[in-house]
Amino acid sequence: MSLLHRIEHPRDALAWEGDMPTLGRYTAGIAGEKFFRAIQEHGQFLGTVCPICEIVYVPPRLYCEQCFEHLDEWIEISPIGWVHTFTLVHLDLDGNPLPEPLPLAFIQLDGADGGLVHFLDEIDPEQIFVGMPVEAVFKDPAERKGSILDIAYFRPV
Amino acid sequence: MSGNRVAVVGAGMTKFVRRAQETAKELAWEATHLALESCDMTLDDIDAVIIGTAPDAFDAVHMKSEYLSDGCGGWGKPVIRGYVGGGTGVFAPIQGWYHVASGLFDTVLVVCEEKMSSCQPHPQGAFLTIFDHTTERPLEPNLLWIFALEMNAYMNRYGLDKRDIATVAVKNKRNAADHPAALLGDANITLEDILNTEVLAWPVQRGDVSPVTDGAVALVMSAEHVARRVTNKPVWVEGVGWTLDTAYWTNRDLSYPVYVEEAARMAYKMAGITEPRQQIHIAEPYDPFDYKELHHLEGLMLFDKGEAPRAAADGVTQRDGDLPVCPSGGLLGVGNPIAAAGLMKVAEIFWQLRGEAGARQVPGSPKRGLAQAWGDLMQVGTVIVMGV
Ligand SMILES: [Zn+2]
């Protein structure tokens, strides 16, 4: 069909709508369950260690993806890290402007290989820089649900 | 046989369960780790990874095999996803075969995973859109419609009744009682138990259907020079075949799976099989529904059309019969985590031909077996023939 034969309005062709009605229900998994319970109950990060590859996985994993060993050495990880990279989000998912640009960062946690993507707050967005030291701010224990949102945001230290 | 010789040298699987706490990645890792351990290999021995997994909607993760890849041993390796719907579990080892037979790789992992409990309220929801959006979806069909119409067409064509077919469910659930990974094994189940289950869409009743399941299965496949080094019991891939029938299910003969016959002919030709009824000693046809085992046995030309139910009634397909069929317990008994279920059948042939099937071992040291799966828009047949 050439460009000239394209329909210009939806009503020019018979059409109807339908959806794929499924809802995802996810588990955190064996390692993930332990990670999120530690956040919920103790406001604490846990990681797993691969002694062979010398990798500290945060979030923790049940196995090492590089050597494939089962990982059962758990350590506490500091809530402090640094901004590996960041962005300021200006539009919501529907393309509408946000009231304020939303700072979002990949935070490399101290003593871990890898880290978390999360919000930054208690800072002027103009002041954020790569390498900036930050720490996790947890919600009140009563508000925590065992979710990544139990971390309210990261803030400068 | 075309290409270099390829053997299955290791296999592993998780328990098949209704709801796994493990993530899909963790399930895949457990099966893959067991498969590597079974042949004393590590990821260093693996040149490429084939991941078989059915619709993304089941795990509710788009780009599902990429998500799964680290649990399948794919870190830093060539990885490919195979996907032909329900036929995937037998198609993935076919891909494993040609990755090695081509000479490109010496050893590959084949990993199949499904975590259907992620898909709520029921995995059926993901299938509503496989029907033609203009001619069928306004009728609000679900997947059971196809199976009910197909089962009834099969029953009418050969004058069968429900009892002729429900024997398959009884056999497979009893066989599964001997499978340590099975979800629905039951050594004492009876024909009446199956016939008394609720009607879903006549003639399909609950007892005719395999369960929604979570699980993973993995194989290690190697070229001959590696296989001979790592094991004294390699199980050779002798033939593979796969075909698609028309996408219009209203243009198929629903009483006969011609797509299975064509896939079987391709695999038999490659394996040099001219008399399948003499040369195949053990079969794992796809049995998501009890009638499908019979349907597929006929498509595989292991019985004449319409004759599989009589053979089943006569005990021919029992574990100690002339042609043991689904000695694993099949999808009806072990469970049906779609892609993983098909690969479970291939793993079962591997264990049976090596004499390692434990309480499920069929007598008489079988030398050649086949596994078959079915899926896509209910029109793909995938067949693998293996031998020792
Ligand atoms: Zn490691």
Side-chain angles (χ1 to χ4, degrees), chain A residues 50 52-53 55 57 64 66-69 71:
Chain A
C50 178
I52 298 166
C53 303
I55 296 172
Y57 286 104
C64 175
Q66 298 191 15
C67 71
F68 234 46
E69 283 304 304
L71 303 183

Side-chain angles (χ1 to χ4, degrees), chain B residues 13 15 170-188 318-320 326-330 333-334 344 348 351-352 356-363:
Chain B
M13 69 183 289
K15 272 184 81 76
V170 174
K171 169 180 66 74
N172 291 1
K173 289 175 198 295
R174 287 187 178 181
N175 282 351
D178 294 322
H179 201 308
L183 173 62
L184 284 187
D186 184 346
N188 301 312
Q318 295 286 336
R319 212 180 258 151
D320 58 358
C326 292
S328 64
V334 186
M344 178 275 290
E348 181 71 8
W351 286 316
Q352 290 283 355
E356 295 175 351
R360 306 187 309 285
Q361 186 64 49
V362 306

Side-chain angles (χ1 to χ4, degrees), chain A residues 38-115:
Chain A
I39 290 176
Q40 182 180 14
E41 290 162 19
H42 309 294
Q44 183 186 77
F45 292 145
L46 295 181
T48 51
V49 181
C50 178
I52 298 166
C53 303
E54 299 183 329
I55 296 172
V56 177
Y57 286 104
V58 181
R61 305 190 198 175
L62 184 65
Y63 55 90
C64 175
E65 69 175 337
Q66 298 191 15
C67 71
F68 234 46
E69 283 304 304
H70 178 231
L71 303 183
D72 54 9
E73 184 184 337
W74 289 76
I75 59 171
E76 187 184 344
I77 299 293
S78 150
I80 295 174
W82 51 277
V83 173
H84 183 99
T85 183
F86 69 97
T87 183
L88 300 175
V89 180
H90 284 251
L91 303 179
D92 70 13
L93 282 179
D94 297 319
N96 304 311
L98 292 169
E100 298 291 336
L102 178 70
L104 188 80
F106 163 24
I107 293 125
Q108 180 84 49
L109 291 167
D110 291 349
D113 296 279

Side-chain angles (χ1 to χ4, degrees), chain A residues 16 18-33 61-71, chain B residues 20-23 25-26 29 32-33 36 43 59-60 70-73 75 115 118-120 125-126 128-129 133 137:
Chain A
W16 65 284
D19 62 358
M20 192 187 286
T22 69
L23 183 76
R25 181 193 286 159
Y26 308 96
T27 60
I30 304 299
E33 181 97 7
R61 305 190 198 175
L62 184 65
Y63 55 90
C64 175
E65 69 175 337
Q66 298 191 15
C67 71
F68 234 46
E69 283 304 304
H70 178 231
L71 303 183
Chain B
Q21 187 192 346
E22 287 85 350
T23 60
K25 288 169 183 275
E26 289 173 341
W29 169 77
T32 307
H33 193 250
L36 287 168
L43 278 190
D59 284 62
D70 56 272
C72 301
W75 180 74
K115 190 178 177 194
S118 307
C119 191
Q120 297 290 322
L128 298 182
T129 55
H133 52 59
R137 283 191 63 194

Side-chain angles (χ1 to χ4, degrees), chain B residues 290-371:
Chain B
D290 45 12
Y291 81 93
K292 275 314 256 188
E293 173 170 311
L294 304 167
H295 217 221
H296 292 153
L297 284 170
E298 293 169 13
L300 290 164
M301 298 167 283
L302 295 172
F303 296 98
D304 288 341
K305 291 180 184 179
E307 289 301 314
R310 186 197 313 272
D314 291 346
V316 173
T317 58
Q318 295 286 336
R319 212 180 258 151
D320 58 358
D322 286 348
L323 178 67
V325 174
C326 292
S328 64
L331 280 48
L332 288 161
V334 186
N336 189 9
I338 309 296
L343 197 61
M344 178 275 290
K345 291 181 166 289
V346 182
E348 181 71 8
I349 298 297
F350 170 74
W351 286 316
Q352 290 283 355
L353 296 181
R354 282 163 62 109
E356 295 175 351
R360 306 187 309 285
Q361 186 64 49
V362 306
S365 304
K367 295 286 179 282
R368 185 181 290 109
L370 69 74

